[in-house]
Amino acid sequence: MLTKQIIEENINILEQMESNFNERLGALPEGSIYYKLQHGKARPYRRIYGKEIYLPHNEARLIEGLTNRKEIERALDVLNRNVSLLKGLKEEYSEPEEMIPSFLKICKFSGNNEIITAGEVSKMISKWHSISTGNPRYRKGVNVASDGTFVKSRADLLGYEHLKMRGVEFKYEHPIMINGNLWYPDFTIYRRKDYKMFIWEHLGMMDKVEYRKKAERKLYEYAREGYLPLDNLLLTYDFGDDSIDLVWVDKMLKLFDIID
């Protein structure tokens, strides 16, 4: 469920990223790099203090540094806009109940009047799948999606089934290479019209300090690769109350032009 605390957490994470990026800029060469087509080849140039300087091949370190500066400045621009958006959202946000997914609201099943929670819904889904398959591997502690895919948590199960229901093309824990390391996002989502990739991470234990530190490092690595919230990275959270906000998920999928 979206709350002001979650919005504030996002703002803090992004502002920390801004601080880290600004610190890295201080160690990079000044100026901007761009390329001009000459004799059929793209040649690098540096603009500094209003002057244009050609960069020969033996200036490889300078070219790399200027390229890094350009990428970080682009990331900072996106981060600044996202921080402004989130601060605006925080100011406008009123009651959490307005963002609660309809299936997590107080509801009634035919034959009884029990109030259910997100955790209970996901347990029921896992139990139904276990009974239907009869496979002993599907017992307590294992979550299985309706197509037989094993997932790590009940929140992942809900997210998996929700993406299927929405007709979204996606992969679960598909490895991607970021800065020379393999990462396994909860979901990699592909926009059908141009096959652009988006990442959805459900940060499920944000009430635990060590988990939160690892999550912040992961988000920092994603940002270095260009995956940023409200741009191509979808984040949902659980602060120990076994919750997931599918209304927020749908808002982001619409923002990314993945669903109508």
Side-chain angles (χ1 to χ4, degrees):
M1 180 171 64
L2 184 65
T3 64
K4 284 193 173 183
Q5 180 185 3
I6 291 175
I7 298 172
E8 187 63 41
E9 287 279 346
N10 271 281
I11 292 172
N12 291 339
I13 289 170
L14 295 185
E15 287 182 337
Q16 181 61 48
M17 290 181 184
E18 286 181 318
S19 176
N20 291 337
F21 283 158
N22 280 315
E23 185 177 337
R24 290 183 63 195
L25 279 180
L28 293 173
E30 294 289 338
S32 60
I33 188 170
Y34 57 96
Y35 290 80
K36 295 171 66 173
L37 192 64
Q38 294 179 342
H39 307 296
K41 293 184 179 181
R43 301 184 184 277
Y45 282 81
R46 178 190 191 188
R47 184 174 297 279
I48 184 170
Y49 307 129
K51 296 181 179 180
E52 180 182 85
I53 304 171
Y54 170 66
L55 297 173
H57 293 300
N58 60 3
E59 294 282 7
R61 287 180 62 86
L62 178 58
I63 293 172
E64 181 182 3
L66 290 170
T67 300
N68 287 338
R69 170 175 285 277
K70 183 176 181 180
E71 292 173 350
I72 291 175
E73 287 175 344
R74 174 186 172 276
L76 280 170
D77 180 61
V78 176
L79 282 170
N80 289 331
R81 286 188 279 116
N82 287 345
V83 168
S84 297
L85 285 170
L86 285 173
K87 286 182 176 178
L89 177 62
K90 181 183 176 183
E91 292 299 319
E92 297 174 5
Y93 191 73
S94 54
E95 295 298 325
E97 287 77 10
E98 297 174 6
M99 302 295 290
I100 297 177
S102 58
F103 82 92
L104 293 182
K105 291 180 180 178
I106 295 176
C107 61
K108 298 179 181 180
F109 284 108
S110 58
N112 59 53
N113 293 324
E114 295 180 358
I115 297 174
I116 64 169
T117 66
E120 290 167 341
V121 170
S122 54
K123 286 178 183 177
M124 292 169 66
I125 293 174
S126 295
K127 183 178 179 181
W128 291 335
H129 293 172
S130 302
I131 293 173
S132 65
T133 59
N135 191 325
R137 292 180 64 194
Y138 294 10
R139 290 175 182 170
K140 182 179 179 181
V142 179
N143 301 279
V144 188
S146 57
D147 60 4
T149 300
F150 289 82
V151 296
K152 286 184 176 178
S153 68
R154 293 191 297 271
D156 286 357
L157 181 63
L158 286 170
Y160 191 101
E161 296 293 344
H162 186 74
L163 291 177
K164 283 186 62 181
M165 180 188 70
R166 286 297 192 188
V168 174
E169 186 172 352
F170 71 97
K171 293 179 181 178
Y172 177 71
E173 288 200 331
H174 181 67
I176 62 174
M177 185 70 73
I178 293 181
N179 298 318
N181 297 309
L182 276 178
W183 294 83
Y184 296 82
D186 292 330
F187 301 97
T188 48
I189 299 171
Y190 303 91
R191 187 165 60 193
R192 294 183 186 277
K193 69 177 184 179
D194 56 6
Y195 222 64
K196 179 179 177 179
M197 190 177 81
F198 299 78
I199 290 176
W200 175 10
E201 283 285 5
H202 180 70
L203 305 177
M205 294 186 290
M206 293 298 282
D207 56 318
K208 302 183 184 304
V209 175
E210 287 305 316
Y211 180 92
R212 194 159 61 243
K213 288 180 179 178
K214 290 180 180 178
E216 289 172 358
R217 176 176 175 266
K218 179 189 293 185
L219 296 180
Y220 174 75
E221 291 297 326
Y222 283 172
R224 289 179 62 192
E225 193 69 9
Y227 292 102
L228 299 167
L230 304 180
D231 186 20
N232 50 13
L233 174 62
L234 166 59
L235 298 175
T236 50
Y237 299 88
D238 177 358
F239 285 89
D241 57 356
D242 200 22
S243 64
I244 183 170
D245 189 340
L246 296 182
V247 165
W248 176 252
V249 172
D250 278 353
K251 284 181 179 292
M252 292 299 98
L253 292 177
K254 290 176 181 178
L255 177 67
F256 300 155
D257 199 23
I258 294 170
I259 64 174
D260 297 325

